[in-house]
Amino acid sequence: DIVMTQSPDSLAVSLGERATINCKSSQSVLYTSSNKKNFLAWYQQKPGQPPKLLIYWASTRESGVPDRFSGSGSGTDFTLTISSLQAEDVAVYYCHQYYSIPPTFGQGTRLEIK
Amino acid sequence: EVQLLESGGGLVQPGGSLRLSCAASGFSFDNYAMSWVRQPPGKGLEWVSGLRSSGGSTYYADSVKGRFTISRDNSKNTLYLQMNGLRVEDTAIYFCAKDNVPGGGGNPYDSWGQGTLVTVSS
């Protein structure tokens, strides 16, 4: 199984500042076909709610997701960046590899306001 | 609007059984692979099982293989998870989740239900 490891486990950032969450996979999730896609997604989960898809293919923003959210990285190292933290961004964030079965998730990163 | 509504959770003793259902609406259910993902209270996400759009191929996490069975009834737009031999460690909120594009699986999940709580305890 591919192990997904996020860092940090928790993060406190001031409103308007940048938040950065990292995700590392135990093996590459880059499919080296002609389109070279990274099978990596990011989700946001608020208390009492199901996860919400933010980013897929490592850097493609889901429809309706604010452009302050961006994803980057390739192979085994990925980053979710929130460029200017808003109060409504307080949540737990998960990375998810869908390159191989079983699909696996990172342990989550709790994002709070400083 | 896509809607996924889980039901069937509850309190069950170790060794018991439950059948979860996920009623889908707002999309062409028979074109999409579907999955079950669980979340123990206060903990992270764990993929449990997945099923291709046709229902012909099923996949399971090692932790539930041989005990859980995923199925779908495309005529009823419903996904199921039959859970037998339940263990205390199966206690979790169970979400059904839809692939973000039609096809056979291997995609992220763009729609999730609200989840149904399964508690295994004596």
Side-chain angles (χ1 to χ4, degrees), chain A residues 43-45 49-53 94 96 105, chain B residues 2-6 22 34-39 45-47 94-98 108-115:
Chain A
Y43 299 86
Q44 174 194 67
Q45 187 178 30
Q49 296 185 19
K52 173 188 175 182
L53 178 64
Y94 295 93
H96 164 218
F105 295 87
Chain B
V2 172
Q3 290 196 336
L4 299 170
L5 183 61
E6 302 94 339
C22 171
M34 299 291 295
S35 296
W36 289 97
V37 177
R38 69 185 180 184
Q39 185 170 39
L45 301 168
E46 180 190 18
W47 176 84
Y94 285 73
F95 298 100
C96 65
K98 165 191 165 290
Y109 311 129
D110 68 347
S111 297
W112 300 62
Q114 288 297 314

Side-chain angles (χ1 to χ4, degrees), chain A residues 7-85:
Chain A
S7 61
D9 289 334
S10 63
L11 180 63
V13 174
S14 300
L15 290 172
E17 295 300 306
R18 178 185 301 262
T20 301
I21 299 170
N22 300 300
C23 175
K24 188 174 185 67
S25 57
S26 61
Q27 61 190 78
S28 176
V29 298
L30 173 63
Y31 184 53
T32 54
S33 66
S34 58
N35 56 8
K36 289 190 177 299
K37 286 188 173 179
N38 286 282
F39 283 54
L40 189 285
W42 289 96
Y43 299 86
Q44 174 194 67
Q45 187 178 30
K46 297 181 179 181
Q49 296 185 19
K52 173 188 175 182
L53 178 64
L54 296 176
I55 303 282
Y56 57 97
W57 301 132
S59 61
T60 300
R61 200 177 301 115
E62 173 74 339
S63 175
V65 173
D67 61 7
R68 64 179 180 273
F69 291 90
S70 63
S72 62
S74 184
T76 61
D77 292 279
F78 300 91
T79 299
L80 174 69
T81 301
I82 307 172
S83 60
S84 176
L85 190 70

Side-chain angles (χ1 to χ4, degrees), chain A residues 1 101-103, chain B residues 38 46-50 59-66:
Chain A
D1 297 4
I101 296 173
Chain B
R38 69 185 180 184
E46 180 190 18
W47 176 84
V48 173
S49 183
Y59 307 91
Y60 299 94
D62 286 345
S63 57
V64 307
K65 201 171 294 182

